C-alpha cells in the first residue's frame, strides 16, 4: 500500500508552504525523512527527528536519525523503523524537526492510503505549494496564562533592610 502524506511547514505567516508525498508503507522513516528534505530543498545533512503526535499536535515519542540517548533510554531509529509501524489511520500525525540549530518544524499528516500505481516510482513528490523561506520561521515559546500573575519580588521582604535578615534563621 502507498501512504500519501501532506507535509506542512510550521510558519506564522499567511503563506502556506506544503508538499504532498507518496511513499510505500513498508519504507523506513529514514526514507520519509529523505523525501521530505529533498522536496523542501534541504541537503539532508543536519540532525532531524520525527515525533509521534496526537490530534492536537502534541509532541510524543521521538524517532531519531542517530542514537544520542543515554544508557537505558531506548530511542527508535529512523533507519530501522517501518512507516506502517508508526503511522496508520488511528495515529495519522507526526511532527518533523529538521536541523536542531534552526528548528525547521513540519506537520506531517497521513492523508490517505491507496493501492500502488503501475509505472510510478516511490517515493513520489505529488504536489508542491509555496516557497520555503530563506531562514527557518522563528519560534516563540510562551508560558501559560499564569505568567502574568507571578511577580518575582512580591515576597514581602525589603531587600534594602538587612537588619531583619538573621543569618542563622535564613540559612539554607
Amino acid at each position: 500500500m502507498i501512504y500519501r502524506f501532506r507535509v506542512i511547514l510550521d510558519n506564522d505567516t499567511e503563506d502556506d508552504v506544503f508538499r504532498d508525498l507518496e511513499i510505500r508503507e513498508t519504507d523506513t522513516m529514514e526514507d520519509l525523512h529523505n523525501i521530505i528534505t529533498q522536496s523542501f530543498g534541504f541537503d539532508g545533512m543536519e540532525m532531524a527527528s520525527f515525533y509521534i503526535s496526537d490530534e492536537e499536535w502534541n509532541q510524543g515519542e521521538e524517532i531519531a536519525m542517530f542514537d544520542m540517548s543515554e544508557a537505558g533510554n531506548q530511542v527508535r531509529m529512523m533507519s530501522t523503523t517501518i512507516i506502517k509501524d508508526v503511522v496508520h489511520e488511528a495515529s495519522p500525525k507526526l511532527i518533523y524537526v529538521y536541523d536542531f540549530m534552526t528548528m525547521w518544524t513540519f506537520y506531517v499528516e497521513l492523508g490517505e492510503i491507496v493501492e500502488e500505481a503501475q509505472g510510478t516510482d516511490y517515493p513520489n513528490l505529488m504536489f508542491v505549494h509555496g516557497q520555503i523561506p530563506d531562514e527557518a520561521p522563528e519560534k516563540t515559546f510562551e508560558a501559560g496564562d499564569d505568567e502574568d500573575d507571578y511577580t518575582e519580588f512580591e515576597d514581602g521582604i525589603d531587600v534594602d533592610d538587612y537588619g531583619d535578615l538573621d543569618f542563622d534563621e535564613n540559612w539554607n
Side-chain angles (χ1 to χ4, degrees):
M1 299 302 288
I2 300 300
Y3 279 23
R4 289 185 174 161
F5 287 101
R6 174 156 287 171
V7 182
I8 305 167
L9 174 65
D10 177 18
N11 64 359
D12 293 332
T13 68
E14 292 184 22
D15 300 329
D16 291 332
V17 179
F18 65 88
R19 308 291 184 259
D20 290 343
L21 315 170
E22 292 181 313
I23 192 166
R24 288 184 177 91
E25 68 179 350
T26 54
D27 285 343
T28 66
M29 296 299 290
E30 185 173 33
D31 296 324
L32 182 57
H33 153 77
N34 289 335
I35 186 148
I36 291 172
T37 57
Q38 291 167 10
S39 71
F40 282 97
F42 298 126
D43 62 11
M45 303 307 294
E46 303 298 331
M47 293 289 295
S49 285
F50 285 99
Y51 299 90
I52 297 172
S53 178
D54 62 13
E55 285 298 314
E56 283 81 41
W57 295 104
N58 293 309
Q59 183 175 311
E61 179 188 358
E62 179 181 16
I63 302 165
M65 271 182 83
F66 303 106
D67 189 357
M68 305 282 286
S69 63
E70 297 183 15
N73 293 340
Q74 289 286 31
V75 174
R76 286 205 260 186
M77 305 306 301
M78 286 185 201
S79 61
T80 58
T81 304
I82 305 299
I83 294 172
K84 71 177 180 179
D85 294 340
V86 176
V87 181
H88 40 79
E89 286 100 340
S91 179
K93 295 182 177 185
L94 299 167
I95 297 171
Y96 174 71
V97 177
Y98 177 78
D99 188 353
F100 290 103
M101 297 302 286
T102 57
M103 297 294 289
W104 289 98
T105 304
F106 300 87
Y107 299 114
V108 181
E109 186 166 14
L110 177 64
E112 63 181 335
I113 301 171
V114 298
E115 294 286 334
E116 189 168 334
Q118 287 293 79
T120 302
D121 291 328
Y122 298 101
N124 177 37
L125 175 59
M126 296 172 46
F127 185 74
V128 173
H129 181 82
Q131 275 298 106
I132 192 149
D134 292 335
E135 294 181 11
E138 196 166 312
K139 300 286 177 244
T140 55
F141 298 98
E142 297 177 7
D145 293 339
D146 297 338
E147 182 180 346
D148 295 337
D149 297 336
Y150 176 75
T151 303
E152 182 178 0
F153 300 108
E154 285 185 1
D155 54 10
I157 296 175
D158 181 3
V159 293
D160 295 324
D161 184 9
Y162 300 111
D164 292 339
L165 298 176
D166 181 21
F167 179 80
D168 292 330
E169 183 178 310
N170 294 302
W171 180 254
N172 291 339

